[in-house]
Amino acid sequence: MSGNIESVLNETRTFPPNEAFTKQAAISSWAQYESMYKESIQDPEKFWGDVAGQLHWFKKWDRVRNWDNPPFAKWFEGGKTNLAYNCLDKHLNTWRRNKAAIIWEGEPVGERRTLTYLELHRQVCKFANVLKSRGIQSGDSVAIYMPMVPELTIAMLACARIGAVHSIIFGGFSAPALVDRIHDASTKMVITADGGYRRGAVVRLKDTVDEALKNCPTVKSCVVVKRCNIDVGMTEGRDFWYADQMHKAHAHCPAVELDSEHPLFVLYTSGSTGKPKGILHTTGGYMVGTYLTTKYVFDIKEDDTYWCTADIGWVTGHSYVTYGPLNTGATVLMYEGAPNFPESDRFWKIIERYKVSIFYTAPTAIRAFMKWGDEHPKKHDLSSLRLLGSVGEPINPEAWMWYHEMIGGKRCPIVDTWWQTETGSIMITPIPGVTPTKPGSATFPFFGVEPAIVNDKGEELANGQGGFLVIKQPWPSMLRTLFGADDRYKEVYWERFAKQGWYLAGDGAVRDKDGYIWILGRIDDVLNVSGHRLSTMEVESALVAHAAVVESAVVGFKHEVKGEGIAAFVILGKGQDKGHGTAEALKLHVRNMIGAIAVPDQIHFTDALPKTRSGKIMRRLLRDVANGVDTKGDMTTLEDLTVLAKLRSDEE
Ligand code: PRX
């Protein structure tokens, strides 16, 4: 970790927000930020009560925060609300009724749709009735496995409307990954599409669902959106076409008055060990957290055209494509496909065409744009942009500078937002009209967030010293537990600093001499590939499940575009052949087991792995091999020194 710390602290450039932005910003002075922050920490009940009061509740809460039984938090207890109501109905009695809620562009050139708030509301009500007609009730689990089409937003809002708990599974996952998630949540229904478009090709989603449903007895029905007009199997009595169901459905469906702590969704994410964790978010607190961050971090205004490029299959798409922006009444741009289809300027074309003013994307995408060349953004008028955002992994200062100059025309503030699936909403971020930014730093905490950087004894570290990032107080949009696994929830996030009652984020961080927070990456065995979390363990399990493999160890290495690439060290069984396409076969196997995102970039065949005397794989050493750097540091625990030498010589 130390090398990392030194390199980031070399960054001395500072960029104050431009005056014009500050003048119009919702928070327009450092003093204002400081006093709001102070109140949010010293009197969270007052602060969050005031924020919640800006939203619609059928019944007001009795108590803002309940932390009597940590780590199980309750927010706005006794309150009754509905997030879909806040995202839709609330706007219908205002002029926003005919405002564009979603402007959608399909990947095939020329495909466009706009849904006003009124129309989106109508579609959501109809689909909520479809859910009910298929037996879905409040509290039931519904899996959504879809391309980025408006029906995905409609499906999730329809679930929220009737209190069904959605579990959205990213469209890149394979059938076994779907099965795991469907089992874990005892899902009753799957909503999918025949296929989706990706880089000009059709991804056959329904085939994958069919494969998965062979092993999912809890699933009683499957609703299928016709997106690509391809032939797919439809199982009589189980599968229904979306359009047929919608045709029959009534457009009237009142939003259910739900308890503030009613489960809203489960979203699976990777942990360092075991199966994926079902992160559970509930209604009221998540609603308040995503609302306030959208309002202040994106400084969203009525006339903005806001574009977050994340897929709704990840948490960023939940919080900042759907719930946050629609709750504020924004116009959300949604794009279905790849950034380089049909050409590498697709994103810039979209920004020019719709006059996008707020653009939120990931460092991995920014690095890809840099690689593709400046000529692509230069061909387009990007002057409508006023604010840029970054999320998913640390952004390298070079990528930040390129984003600032080439996309932001040096005028747009950049908000580098640190948060997690678990946190539900943005936690550490610049406030755009106020915070002087430094390339690569997420800067300072958002309201209600009390971070600290500590050593393993829980002692706060001085500026310049890297350590564990912890959060000292509960916050409204925090996860409530891991679905069906309270003990694992306690163990993963709360055990390490149980005495202090702090949340362990799983990231390393450091504060510089000015108090700016720099995120240093994961401290556990979680990889961050293109801004998405994968556990080394999941990829290892997939490899070992292949008949030819007896043992494997997976580590990350520095990758120019993905941030982190995947390197797999593999021991084959007796008599197995390293050549003749074995590496390719293993890659295909991982793709089939988990999905394309988990496919190793490097496969190293070896006869042994470096282990400690107690048999623990020394990943640190493997990481050095994968990164092509010399190993420094303590090797005295290595059981057999020749293993490492052999691994290195195999590389040559
Ligand atoms: O390591 C941090 C990194 O992404 C992890 C969370 O991943 P996930 O739950 O998939 O959510 C991603 C989108 C919120 C964090 O533990 N991360 C996320 N944002 C940043 C970041 N690292 C540095 N800077 C960021 N802005």
Side-chain angles (χ1 to χ4, degrees), residues 315-316 391-394 416-422 507 519 522 528 533:
V315 74
T316 307
V391 61
E393 57 178 308
D416 175 359
T417 61
W418 176 86
W419 59 295
Q420 308 176 294
T421 307
E422 290 86 343
D507 281 323
I519 306 294
R522 301 291 304 183
N528 191 328
R533 274 158 70 175

Short mmCIF file of all heavy atoms in Angstrom, two decimals, residues 315-316 391-394 416-422 507 519 522 528 533, ligand 1:
data_model
loop_
_atom_site.label_atom_id
_atom_site.label_comp_id
_atom_site.label_asym_id
_atom_site.label_seq_id
_atom_site.Cartn_x
_atom_site.Cartn_y
_atom_site.Cartn_z
N VAL A 315 -25.38 -1.00 -8.83
CA VAL A 315 -26.03 -0.09 -7.90
C VAL A 315 -26.10 1.35 -8.43
O VAL A 315 -27.07 2.08 -8.17
CB VAL A 315 -25.36 -0.14 -6.50
CG1 VAL A 315 -24.01 0.58 -6.51
CG2 VAL A 315 -26.29 0.44 -5.45
N THR A 316 -25.10 1.74 -9.20
CA THR A 316 -25.12 3.11 -9.72
C THR A 316 -26.37 3.34 -10.58
O THR A 316 -26.98 4.42 -10.53
CB THR A 316 -23.84 3.40 -10.54
OG1 THR A 316 -22.72 3.05 -9.73
CG2 THR A 316 -23.75 4.85 -10.95
N VAL A 391 -17.24 7.49 -11.03
CA VAL A 391 -17.57 6.53 -9.97
C VAL A 391 -17.08 5.13 -10.32
O VAL A 391 -17.00 4.78 -11.49
CB VAL A 391 -19.09 6.46 -9.72
CG1 VAL A 391 -19.86 6.00 -10.95
CG2 VAL A 391 -19.43 5.54 -8.54
N GLY A 392 -16.79 4.35 -9.31
CA GLY A 392 -16.54 2.93 -9.50
C GLY A 392 -15.16 2.48 -9.08
O GLY A 392 -14.97 1.34 -8.69
N GLU A 393 -14.20 3.35 -9.17
CA GLU A 393 -12.82 3.01 -8.80
C GLU A 393 -12.05 4.32 -8.73
O GLU A 393 -12.54 5.36 -9.19
CB GLU A 393 -12.21 2.09 -9.85
CG GLU A 393 -12.24 2.71 -11.23
CD GLU A 393 -11.59 1.86 -12.31
OE1 GLU A 393 -10.45 1.44 -12.11
OE2 GLU A 393 -12.23 1.66 -13.35
N PRO A 394 -10.84 4.27 -8.17
CA PRO A 394 -10.06 5.50 -8.13
C PRO A 394 -9.79 5.97 -9.57
O PRO A 394 -9.52 5.15 -10.45
CB PRO A 394 -8.76 5.06 -7.46
CG PRO A 394 -9.08 3.81 -6.71
CD PRO A 394 -10.17 3.14 -7.50
N ASP A 416 -15.86 13.36 -8.15
CA ASP A 416 -15.33 11.99 -8.03
C ASP A 416 -16.00 11.40 -6.80
O ASP A 416 -15.67 11.74 -5.67
CB ASP A 416 -13.81 12.06 -7.89
CG ASP A 416 -13.18 10.69 -7.64
OD1 ASP A 416 -13.91 9.69 -7.56
OD2 ASP A 416 -11.94 10.65 -7.51
N THR A 417 -16.99 10.54 -7.03
CA THR A 417 -17.88 10.11 -5.96
C THR A 417 -17.51 8.72 -5.46
O THR A 417 -17.58 7.75 -6.19
CB THR A 417 -19.33 10.07 -6.46
OG1 THR A 417 -19.43 9.13 -7.54
CG2 THR A 417 -19.78 11.44 -6.96
N TRP A 418 -17.14 8.63 -4.20
CA TRP A 418 -16.86 7.31 -3.61
C TRP A 418 -18.10 6.80 -2.88
O TRP A 418 -18.67 7.52 -2.05
CB TRP A 418 -15.70 7.38 -2.61
CG TRP A 418 -15.49 6.03 -1.95
CD1 TRP A 418 -14.75 5.00 -2.43
CD2 TRP A 418 -16.09 5.57 -0.73
NE1 TRP A 418 -14.85 3.91 -1.58
CE2 TRP A 418 -15.66 4.23 -0.53
CE3 TRP A 418 -16.94 6.14 0.21
CZ2 TRP A 418 -16.05 3.48 0.58
CZ3 TRP A 418 -17.35 5.37 1.31
CH2 TRP A 418 -16.89 4.06 1.49
N TRP A 419 -18.48 5.60 -3.19
CA TRP A 419 -19.55 4.92 -2.45
C TRP A 419 -19.55 3.47 -2.85
O TRP A 419 -18.65 3.02 -3.56
CB TRP A 419 -20.90 5.60 -2.66
CG TRP A 419 -21.41 5.69 -4.07
CD1 TRP A 419 -20.86 6.41 -5.09
CD2 TRP A 419 -22.56 5.05 -4.62
NE1 TRP A 419 -21.60 6.25 -6.24
CE2 TRP A 419 -22.65 5.43 -5.98
CE3 TRP A 419 -23.54 4.21 -4.10
CZ2 TRP A 419 -23.68 4.97 -6.82
CZ3 TRP A 419 -24.57 3.77 -4.93
CH2 TRP A 419 -24.62 4.15 -6.27
N GLN A 420 -20.54 2.71 -2.39
CA GLN A 420 -20.57 1.26 -2.60
C GLN A 420 -22.02 0.78 -2.70
O GLN A 420 -22.93 1.47 -2.26
CB GLN A 420 -19.97 0.54 -1.38
CG GLN A 420 -18.62 1.03 -0.96
CD GLN A 420 -18.15 0.34 0.31
OE1 GLN A 420 -18.74 0.50 1.37
NE2 GLN A 420 -17.10 -0.46 0.20
N THR A 421 -22.17 -0.44 -3.23
CA THR A 421 -23.50 -1.06 -3.24
C THR A 421 -24.09 -0.99 -1.82
O THR A 421 -25.26 -0.70 -1.64
CB THR A 421 -23.39 -2.54 -3.69
OG1 THR A 421 -22.68 -2.57 -4.93
CG2 THR A 421 -24.75 -3.17 -3.86
N GLU A 422 -23.24 -1.24 -0.85
CA GLU A 422 -23.68 -1.27 0.55
C GLU A 422 -24.14 0.09 1.05
O GLU A 422 -25.03 0.17 1.89
CB GLU A 422 -22.53 -1.74 1.45
CG GLU A 422 -22.14 -3.21 1.31
CD GLU A 422 -21.13 -3.45 0.19
OE1 GLU A 422 -20.96 -2.57 -0.69
OE2 GLU A 422 -20.52 -4.54 0.20
N ASP A 507 -12.11 -0.68 1.96
CA ASP A 507 -11.17 0.08 1.14
C ASP A 507 -10.08 0.66 2.02
O ASP A 507 -10.31 0.98 3.19
CB ASP A 507 -11.88 1.26 0.44
CG ASP A 507 -12.67 0.82 -0.77
OD1 ASP A 507 -12.20 -0.08 -1.49
OD2 ASP A 507 -13.76 1.37 -1.00
N ILE A 519 -8.89 7.52 -2.03
CA ILE A 519 -9.22 6.10 -1.88
C ILE A 519 -8.11 5.29 -2.56
O ILE A 519 -7.73 5.59 -3.69
CB ILE A 519 -10.57 5.78 -2.56
CG1 ILE A 519 -11.68 6.70 -2.02
CG2 ILE A 519 -10.92 4.30 -2.39
CD1 ILE A 519 -12.05 6.52 -0.58
N ARG A 522 -9.16 -1.69 -2.75
CA ARG A 522 -9.65 -2.69 -1.80
C ARG A 522 -8.54 -3.25 -0.92
O ARG A 522 -7.40 -3.36 -1.35
CB ARG A 522 -10.30 -3.85 -2.57
CG ARG A 522 -11.44 -3.47 -3.46
CD ARG A 522 -12.65 -3.03 -2.71
NE ARG A 522 -13.11 -4.04 -1.76
CZ ARG A 522 -14.22 -3.89 -1.02
NH1 ARG A 522 -14.95 -2.78 -1.12
NH2 ARG A 522 -14.58 -4.82 -0.19
N ASN A 528 -11.46 -5.15 -8.67
CA ASN A 528 -12.31 -4.11 -9.24
C ASN A 528 -12.00 -4.04 -10.74
O ASN A 528 -11.08 -3.39 -11.17
CB ASN A 528 -12.04 -2.78 -8.55
CG ASN A 528 -13.08 -1.75 -8.92
OD1 ASN A 528 -13.60 -1.77 -10.05
ND2 ASN A 528 -13.40 -0.85 -8.02
N ARG A 533 -17.23 -5.12 -9.06
CA ARG A 533 -16.60 -5.97 -8.05
C ARG A 533 -16.73 -7.44 -8.37
O ARG A 533 -17.80 -7.93 -8.68
CB ARG A 533 -17.27 -5.69 -6.71
CG ARG A 533 -16.63 -4.54 -6.03
CD ARG A 533 -17.58 -3.97 -5.04
NE ARG A 533 -17.76 -4.88 -3.93
CZ ARG A 533 -18.48 -4.55 -2.86
NH1 ARG A 533 -19.09 -3.38 -2.80
NH2 ARG A 533 -18.61 -5.38 -1.89
O1 PRX B 1 -13.29 0.12 -3.91
C1 PRX B 1 -14.29 1.10 -3.98
C2 PRX B 1 -14.64 1.35 -5.44
O2 PRX B 1 -15.73 0.50 -5.71
C3 PRX B 1 -16.12 -0.23 -4.54
C4 PRX B 1 -17.61 -0.39 -4.51
O3 PRX B 1 -18.02 -1.14 -5.60
P1 PRX B 1 -19.57 -1.34 -5.91
O4 PRX B 1 -20.27 -1.78 -4.68
O5 PRX B 1 -19.64 -2.22 -7.10
O6 PRX B 1 -20.11 0.08 -6.26
C5 PRX B 1 -19.55 0.79 -7.31
C6 PRX B 1 -20.35 2.05 -7.55
C7 PRX B 1 -20.69 2.81 -6.34
C8 PRX B 1 -15.59 0.61 -3.41
O7 PRX B 1 -15.44 -0.17 -2.23
N1 PRX B 1 -15.04 2.75 -5.70
C9 PRX B 1 -16.27 3.21 -5.99
N2 PRX B 1 -16.23 4.54 -6.25
C10 PRX B 1 -14.95 4.93 -6.11
C11 PRX B 1 -14.19 3.80 -5.75
N3 PRX B 1 -12.87 3.89 -5.50
C12 PRX B 1 -12.30 5.09 -5.61
N4 PRX B 1 -12.95 6.21 -5.97
C13 PRX B 1 -14.27 6.19 -6.24
N5 PRX B 1 -14.89 7.29 -6.61
#
